[in-house]
């Protein structure tokens, strides 16, 4: 269930059972992709040069297509979108594939859409893009946001409260990162992700929303890959060099570039902190509370994955630092990046539709559908988008989710009293706070650099999601310590 990643295998083939879903071959052929690449390179050359990327919602969504279509005014496809990294460092979409699996009464349907030479092809391309954006919006909310931050942080909190004394240094380090998370999750279960709640009523997964999140957890979640550097490597968006350093495959990748600054700052702070309290690896290994905490996280919080080989150990200082850095990153930088820009990017619902209500007009080629499409394609597009009530509900919800409260606690802004009581820990926190302030300036410089075309230029939204500090309200910036909204 790899979603946004670099293409490393071609041809693209489904891993689903062909007896159930139909032929596995993709409509995105070598000839089609090469016809859309403006530079004179083949698919093989583009892959070798690390310039071919894919947004893949085919295998993960195809099993839900027929079930979702049973819902009134809702449709779904499995989709793939392939992008080419241009010489300017920007991603150019080459082609979109939409697919409907076979059923007892109908054969499989799939079609590729590209930038068209005529008006009809151009409008079909617009419609196909809208479908893909709705797929991305649903996955973002249920997996990247709810699952990977809100949901998967709960075991860390519960185990910490059970196994770590409130005076334990690890508890004191993590406590600011757990503020209000259980409360906001309880509220979400009451009115956001509950049965017939906002997500089910206004997002295409409907009643299958939590099932989809659970399936994604089983197929994709692993603790070690929640670390930002490892996540980038796993998706092919960074390559590990011989010296152990990681090279980004997209040089101007704002989330990765800014995120790594934050990640490294968190790791340095965690390292300084742990090195003060533990003078050797043996002291970490002999800490019964830390061992019990991590054992509960693994065996009770994630019982179905407890025997997986990728769980890191916490019997050394480096091991403990890595685990703490990952948890602190997920609760701060990761959550900030996927949450506080939601209104900026999705408040205008045509930019991020949460549901598509009509099939592509060419799926069945019905005469009356095609006639309306040919005469009024803009009306067909608007009729396919969310209803007025769905759009209003989502706009209001995203406005709330993207808001910072007046008492927000940002990374590096407030020191815990226990940290201030120890001069070396206080000094380490002050260095961390200083680095976070430096990141503010670095982000501003990057957003004003005309060479960075993914974050600077006419019509380009500056990337500020990982600027550490913010004022109250909907600002599209700021990294709070915890998941509190």
């Amino acid at each position: 269930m790899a979603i946004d990643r670099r293409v490393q295998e071609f041809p693209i083939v489904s891993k689903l059972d062909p007896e159930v879903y139909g032929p596995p071959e993709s409509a995105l052929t070598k000839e089609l992709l090469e016809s859309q690449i403006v530079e004179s390179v083949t698919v093989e050359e583009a892959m070798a040069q690390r310039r071919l990327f894919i947004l893949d919602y085919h295998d993960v969504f195809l099993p839900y297509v027929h079930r979702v279509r049973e819902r009134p005014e809702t449709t779904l496809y499995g989709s793939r979108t392939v992008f080419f990294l241009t010489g300017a460092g920007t991603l150019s979409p080459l082609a979109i594939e939409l697919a409907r699996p076979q059923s007892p009464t109908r054969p499989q349907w799939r079609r590729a859409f590209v930038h068209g030479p005529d008006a009809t092809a151009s409008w079909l391309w617009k419609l196909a893009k809208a479908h893909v954006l709705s797929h991305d919006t649903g996955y973002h909310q249920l997996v990247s946001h709810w699952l990977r931050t809100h949901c998967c942080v709960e075991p860390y909190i519960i185990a910490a409260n059970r196994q770590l004394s409130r005076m334990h240094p690890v508890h004191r380090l993590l406590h600011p990162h757990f503020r209000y998370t259980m409360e906001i999750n309880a509220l979400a279960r009451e009115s956001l992700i509950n049965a017939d709640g906002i997500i089910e009523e206004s997002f295409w997964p409907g009643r299958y929303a939590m099932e989809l999140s659970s399936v994604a957890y089983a197929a994709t979640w692993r603790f070690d890959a929640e670390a930002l550097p490892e996540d980038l490597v796993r998706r092919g968006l960074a390559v590990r060099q011989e010296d152990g350093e990681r090279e980004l495959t997209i040089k101007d990748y704002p989330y990765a570039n800014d995120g790594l600054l934050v990640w490294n700052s968190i790791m340095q702070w965690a390292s300084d902190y742990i090195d003060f309290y533990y003078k050797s690896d043996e002291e970490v290994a002999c800490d019964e509370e830390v061992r019990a905490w991590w054992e509960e996280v693994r065996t009770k919080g994630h019982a179905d994955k407890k025997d997986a080989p990728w769980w890191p150990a916490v019997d050394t200082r480096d091991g403990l630092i890595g685990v703490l850095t990952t948890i602190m990153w997920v609760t701060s930088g990761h959550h900030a990046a996927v949450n506080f820009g939601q209104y900026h990017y999705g408040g205008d619902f045509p930019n991020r539709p949460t549901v598509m209500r009509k099939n592509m007009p060419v799926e069945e080629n019905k005469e009356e559908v095609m006639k309306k499409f040919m005469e009024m394609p803009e009306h067909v597009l608007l009729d396919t988008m969310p209803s007025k009530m769905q759009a209003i509900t989502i706009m209001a919800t995203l406005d709330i989710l993207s808001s910072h409260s007046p008492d927000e606690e940002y990374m590096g802004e407030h020191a815990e009293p226990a940290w201030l009581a120890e001069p070396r820990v206080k000094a380490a926190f002050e260095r961390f706070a200083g680095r976070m302030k430096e990141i503010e300036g670095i982000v501003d410089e990057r957003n004003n650099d005309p060479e960075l075309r993914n974050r600077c230029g006419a019509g380009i939204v500056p990337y500020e999601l990982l600027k550490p500090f913010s004022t109250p309200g909907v600002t599209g910036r700021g990294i709070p310590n915890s998941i509190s909204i």
Side-chain angles (χ1 to χ4, degrees):
M1 195 191 285
I3 305 300
D4 50 335
R5 67 187 194 277
R6 179 164 52 89
V7 177
Q8 301 184 62
E9 295 180 358
F10 200 87
I12 301 167
V13 180
S14 172
K15 293 179 173 60
L16 297 175
D17 185 353
E19 294 294 325
V20 177
Y21 298 100
E25 294 78 16
S26 171
L28 302 177
T29 63
K30 170 181 166 67
E31 293 74 20
L32 177 72
L33 295 180
E34 289 177 353
S35 71
Q36 299 301 307
I37 298 176
V38 295
E39 301 178 28
S40 300
V41 295
T42 65
V43 165
E44 292 79 9
E45 290 169 339
M47 290 172 59
Q49 297 168 12
R50 302 171 187 163
R51 302 177 70 183
L52 215 55
F53 297 83
I54 187 169
L55 186 64
D56 192 347
Y57 294 118
H58 185 275
D59 285 11
V60 62
F61 290 167
L62 214 61
Y64 291 95
V65 168
H66 292 310
R67 288 188 283 170
V68 166
R69 287 185 174 199
E70 293 174 358
R71 182 185 176 195
E73 293 285 294
T74 309
T75 193
L76 178 65
Y77 294 98
S79 69
R80 297 184 180 104
T81 308
V82 173
F83 300 82
F84 178 72
L85 183 62
T86 68
T90 58
L91 287 174
S92 174
L94 298 180
I96 294 170
E97 176 184 18
L98 299 179
R100 180 200 69 207
Q102 65 185 23
S103 71
T105 59
R106 292 193 294 179
Q108 178 196 74
W109 179 87
R110 64 173 67 247
R111 177 164 169 172
F113 300 88
V114 298
H115 299 276
D118 54 45
T120 300
S122 294
W123 276 104
L124 288 173
W125 174 250
K126 289 183 176 68
L127 280 166
K129 286 198 296 183
H131 279 279
V132 171
L133 286 168
S134 75
H135 301 167
D136 192 59
T137 301
Y139 192 90
H140 173 92
Q141 198 66 264
L142 293 169
V143 180
S144 301
H145 184 199
W146 165 252
L147 170 65
R148 291 183 61 187
T149 63
H150 287 260
C151 190
C152 285
V153 165
E154 287 189 358
Y156 315 144
I157 300 173
I158 295 171
N161 288 332
R162 284 175 173 170
Q163 304 296 343
L164 296 174
S165 162
R166 293 180 66 86
M167 296 177 64
H168 194 284
V170 170
H171 189 285
R172 284 175 163 173
L173 178 64
L174 291 178
H175 180 68
H177 298 280
F178 295 160
R179 183 188 187 218
Y180 296 152
T181 300
M182 299 300 287
E183 180 179 356
I184 197 65
N185 285 2
L187 292 172
R189 289 184 173 101
E190 286 181 3
S191 59
L192 192 63
I193 62 172
N194 58 306
D196 299 323
I198 291 173
I199 297 296
E200 288 199 2
E201 289 297 317
S202 302
F203 282 74
W204 63 260
R207 61 186 294 186
Y208 304 107
M210 287 299 97
E211 178 183 328
L212 174 64
S213 184
S214 298
V215 168
Y217 165 77
T220 67
W221 189 89
R222 46 186 290 175
F223 181 86
D224 61 332
E226 294 305 288
L228 176 60
E230 296 307 310
D231 175 57
L232 296 172
V233 170
R234 185 169 70 148
R235 294 188 288 130
L237 298 175
V239 178
R240 189 177 284 108
Q241 304 297 304
E242 292 182 1
D243 59 3
E245 294 297 316
R246 299 167 184 86
E247 178 187 1
L248 294 179
T249 52
I250 303 176
K251 304 303 181 187
D252 179 20
Y253 183 6
Y255 168 71
N257 284 307
D258 294 357
L260 288 171
L261 290 176
V262 176
W263 169 272
N264 291 333
S265 294
I266 295 172
M267 175 166 275
Q268 186 61 60
W269 158 232
S271 179
D272 291 342
Y273 185 91
I274 292 302
D275 286 348
F276 172 76
Y277 285 102
Y278 297 93
K279 306 307 179 187
S280 66
D281 291 343
E282 288 74 21
E283 289 188 10
V284 176
C286 292
D287 192 322
E288 295 181 0
E289 290 188 41
V290 167
R291 188 164 62 248
W293 166 65
W294 192 236
E295 180 75 6
E296 180 168 326
V297 168
R298 183 175 64 84
T299 63
K300 293 196 170 60
H302 299 279
D304 54 336
K305 295 177 181 280
K306 63 183 178 63
D307 297 320
W310 39 256
W311 284 102
V314 291
D315 53 2
T316 65
R317 285 183 294 182
D318 285 346
L320 180 56
I321 290 166
V323 164
L324 296 176
T325 301
T326 298
I327 293 173
M328 294 159 73
W329 160 255
V330 169
T331 61
S332 59
H334 181 158
H335 180 259
V338 299
N339 181 70
F340 291 107
Q342 291 191 91
Y343 188 77
H344 281 67
Y345 290 96
D348 179 26
F349 75 90
N351 193 49
R352 301 285 295 176
T354 57
V355 65
M356 296 295 277
R357 297 186 293 151
K358 306 291 183 183
N359 296 335
M360 292 290 290
V362 293
E363 181 181 335
E364 301 296 341
N365 277 319
K366 292 181 178 178
E367 183 177 347
E368 64 274 16
V369 174
M370 289 302 298
K371 183 174 185 294
K372 181 179 180 181
F373 171 65
M374 297 299 288
E375 292 177 350
M376 296 183 294
E378 66 279 11
H379 289 190
V380 171
L381 177 60
L382 290 174
D383 288 345
T384 302
M385 293 283 187
S387 67
K388 291 180 180 178
M389 183 55 65
Q390 288 171 325
I392 292 170
T393 301
I394 291 302
M395 290 169 68
T397 301
L398 295 185
D399 180 71
I400 294 171
L401 294 178
S402 301
S403 294
H404 289 294
S405 65
D407 64 339
E408 197 84 89
E409 294 183 1
Y410 299 98
M411 289 284 284
E413 188 175 43
H414 299 291
E416 294 290 293
W419 305 344
L420 299 177
E422 295 286 355
R424 279 183 55 193
V425 175
K426 177 183 177 182
F429 178 80
E430 289 174 347
R431 289 193 297 272
F432 172 61
R435 287 193 297 270
M436 298 305 283
K437 291 176 182 177
E438 288 177 10
I439 291 173
E440 285 263 310
I442 293 172
V443 171
D444 286 338
E445 289 178 4
R446 289 173 172 175
N447 285 332
N448 288 298
D449 185 347
E451 296 299 314
L452 302 179
R453 294 178 175 86
N454 292 319
R455 60 196 304 162
C456 180
I460 301 297
V461 179
Y463 191 82
E464 297 184 322
L465 294 178
L466 290 170
K467 282 191 70 171
F469 306 105
S470 174
T471 53
V474 180
T475 64
R477 64 176 72 100
I479 306 176
N481 285 317
S482 65
I483 302 165
S484 56
I485 186 62

